[in-house]
Every structure is written in C-alpha cells, then in structure tokens.
Amino acid sequence: MELHNVWFVLIAVLWIGYFFLEGFDFGIGVLTKLLARDRSEKRVLINTIGPVWDGNEVWLLTAGGATFAAFPDWYATLFSGFYLPLLIILVCLIVRGVAFEYRAKRPEENWQRNWEQAIFWTSLIPAVLWGVAFGNIVRGVAIDAQKEYVGTFGDLLNPYAILGGLVTLALFTFHGAVFAALKTVGDIRVRARALALKVGLATAVLALGFLLWTQADKGGTWSLVAMVVAVAALVGAIGAIKQGREGWSFALSGVTIAAAFAMLFLTLFPNVMPSSLDPAWSLTVTNASSSPYTLKIMTWLAAIATPLVLLYQGWTYWVFRKRIGTQHIADAAH
C-alpha cells in the first residue's frame, strides 16, 4: 500500500478515535442539563469525565496535525472553506475547557451556574457542527480548479449536512448517557439508563436515514458493510442498556460511532474533498498529499509515538475506572 493511502487510513482512525472518546464527553456536557436535577448531580456528571476530557481532545490535535503534514492541500482547503464553523468549534472547545477548570473556583451560585451553561452549549454546538462539517465533506463542496473553496457559509447548511449534525448530536448524547450509566451509582444511574434508551431510539431513526442516504448517493460494497455494522451495533447497544448491561452498551455505542465514521471515509476514498463543481477538481489522496519522503518520516514517528500514547491513555482510564455518585460529592459549595 502506498504511503498516502496509509496516511488516509491513519487520519481516518484518528478522527474515529476522537469521536469515540470526545463523543461521550460532548454527551455528558449535554446531559448536565437534560439529566442532572441539581448541582450535586451536575458535579457527578462532570467528574465522570474530569480526569480524561483533556486527554480525549489530544486526538483532535493529532488528527489536525496529521492532516496538515500528510495532506497540506486538504488541510488548506478544509480550514479555509470551513473557516467559520471550525472557528466556532475552536472557540467552544476553548470556553469548554475553561468552564471545566473555572466552574468550582468560586462558591457563588451565579458563577457556577454560568459556567455550567457554558459547558452545556459548548458541548452541544460542536456535536452538531462536526456532523455538518463531515456531511459536507462527503457530499462535496464548491472547489475550483485551483483547489480553493468558492462557496459560502450558507452552502454548508444543506439538508444532508444538517441531518448529519442532528445524527452526531443524538449519537454523542446517547454515547454520553450510556457512559453516565456506566460510571455512576444510585438514582442518577437509573435515570441515565432510562434516558439512554429514549435517546437511543431517536438516534436509530436519524442515523438510519442518514446512513441510507449516504449509501444511496455515494456508497459501495465496503461502505455498505460498515453501515450494516453501525446499525447492528446501535441496535445491540439499545438492547444492552435496556437490560442494564452498561459495559456492553458502551462498547457497542462506540462501535456504532466507529463504523458510521468509517463508512463516511470509505465513501470518500480516494477523494479527501470531492468537488461539487467538477469531479476533476476534487482533492484526492494523490494530488493533495505531501512528498513521499515527508510521509516516510511521519510513518516512523507515528510507529514510535502512537503505542506510548495509547498505553498512557489506557492507564489513565484504568486508574479512574470506579463509579461515583452524589455521596462522593462534598457538601461545600466551593
């Protein structure tokens, strides 16, 4: 396999890893308003991801950096054409990180409530916009012969991409609800399971529509296989959470995210950004990639660094594996 194809696969894996991990982070943020009944329960939810949320975001930095190094034309066209939505996502991620850290710095109720609102909105908005962005990448955008995006922000808000945004929001919220049930004890765990079941059913309807649309428009044999895996895993996740088997449900909801985004990348290849103006102007793994020497150096670095990162992150999850509940939250407001 040629190195530019290898790096397309590796970048797909990085994005899938990001959405698998950050997906339940976004879901927990959304659930601070949908599931938590009081401040103690909000603190429980936030504490479930407290030790890991910042590590999960490293996958985004790595995916962006790898795209910049391996496919500079893809990076340039993507980040210039999608400048506004990606800027909104970036601002949300910055504010979200500050909110996690600053929320408990002062005891005033207004102070904490405002940061909790920030956590909710800066989790919900990126969850939608990532789906809109990837929906447009798969659908194709207005790219001219100079590999430049010549469309407008309004062009990105088409029905297919908007449906993609609703799917990622629902899927991440379901993933987060299952994670909340897996990581908590007591009444909040029971309500998380009930909410996960309801959200899962809504997610199944939205996801099935989006994946069928994608397959009908862009799909092939391998994308069909990925779609079947995604749908089967989602059905299994819903069934597992109904039976109270949170661990299996979380694993299967993760498989759903992985298979769904794998399907999107499979429909793309060998393109990285299809042109809706002329297929000949599309960015491909060949015409958008760096030199073979650059890709060779990147491959050696990735082979050395990636296992170390995975071991460290896996160890972090193992250390903070226990469940928590409101009984573990101190009574003090500060």
Side-chain angles (χ1 to χ4, degrees):
M1 183 183 291
E2 297 183 31
L3 284 179
H4 52 71
N5 292 336
V6 171
W7 273 98
F8 178 84
V9 173
L10 291 177
I11 288 172
V13 170
L14 289 171
W15 280 109
I16 290 170
Y18 171 67
F19 290 126
F20 175 87
L21 296 171
E22 190 79 335
F24 67 77
D25 278 4
F26 288 142
I28 290 294
V30 172
L31 292 175
T32 57
K33 189 173 286 291
L34 301 183
L35 179 63
R37 290 178 174 175
D38 53 35
R39 178 134 302 131
S40 293
E41 291 191 350
K42 289 182 179 179
R43 291 174 67 186
V44 168
L45 291 175
I46 293 171
N47 286 355
T48 61
I49 60 172
V52 298
W53 69 266
D54 47 357
N56 294 344
E57 289 188 355
V58 171
W59 286 76
L60 173 61
L61 301 177
T62 308
T67 304
F68 172 76
F71 300 99
D73 287 337
W74 182 13
Y75 181 93
T77 304
L78 176 64
F79 279 78
S80 59
F82 291 25
Y83 182 82
L84 183 56
L86 292 178
L87 177 62
I88 294 172
I89 290 173
L90 177 61
V91 171
C92 284
L93 294 180
I94 293 171
V95 173
R96 186 167 172 266
V98 173
F100 282 134
E101 299 296 335
Y102 274 47
R103 177 191 157 278
K105 295 298 183 183
R106 290 171 56 178
E108 291 87 349
E109 183 175 347
N110 285 342
W111 172 273
Q112 296 190 5
R113 183 170 60 246
N114 289 338
W115 285 120
E116 288 163 359
Q117 290 281 357
I119 290 172
F120 171 77
W121 288 109
T122 56
S123 298
L124 184 146
I125 293 172
V128 173
L129 290 182
W130 280 128
V132 172
F134 272 85
N136 277 291
I137 292 173
V138 171
R139 175 178 176 269
V141 293
I143 300 174
D144 64 12
Q146 286 72 46
K147 303 178 182 178
E148 295 181 358
Y149 177 73
V150 294
T152 66
F153 177 70
D155 294 336
L156 302 178
L157 301 178
N158 54 80
Y160 176 78
I162 292 173
L163 178 58
L166 295 176
V167 169
T168 50
L169 174 61
L171 187 55
F172 293 165
T173 303
F174 172 67
H175 197 40
V178 174
F179 183 76
L182 179 64
K183 289 289 292 180
T184 58
V185 294
D187 182 59
I188 191 171
R189 176 188 177 190
V190 175
R191 285 187 283 111
R193 288 197 329 223
L195 182 60
L197 182 59
K198 295 176 182 177
V199 175
L201 294 174
T203 302
V205 174
L206 291 170
L208 183 61
F210 179 75
L211 295 179
L212 286 173
W213 190 345
T214 303
Q215 179 63 26
D217 192 37
K218 302 281 186 179
T221 302
W222 286 109
S223 62
L224 177 61
V225 172
M227 185 189 77
V228 171
V229 171
V231 172
L234 181 56
V235 172
I238 295 171
I241 198 65
K242 185 177 181 180
Q243 297 176 3
R245 305 183 70 175
E246 296 101 340
W248 278 104
S249 183
F250 181 73
L252 289 170
S253 67
V255 171
T256 302
I257 292 174
F261 279 96
M263 178 188 179
L264 297 184
F265 280 100
L266 286 167
T267 60
L268 269 180
F269 186 81
N271 294 322
V272 292
M273 283 193 76
S275 172
S276 60
L277 302 179
D278 188 335
W281 297 342
S282 297
L283 299 181
T284 68
V285 293
T286 303
N287 65 23
S289 69
S290 294
S291 68
Y293 183 68
T294 299
L295 297 178
K296 183 177 181 180
I297 294 175
M298 290 176 60
T299 303
W300 279 107
L301 292 174
I304 295 170
T306 303
L308 298 176
V309 173
L310 292 175
L311 284 172
Y312 174 76
Q313 192 162 24
W315 177 78
T316 302
Y317 275 90
W318 175 257
V319 169
F320 296 101
R321 66 189 182 277
K322 292 185 178 180
R323 297 176 183 266
I324 63 172
T326 53
Q327 67 269 30
H328 302 114
I329 302 299
D331 293 333
H334 183 49

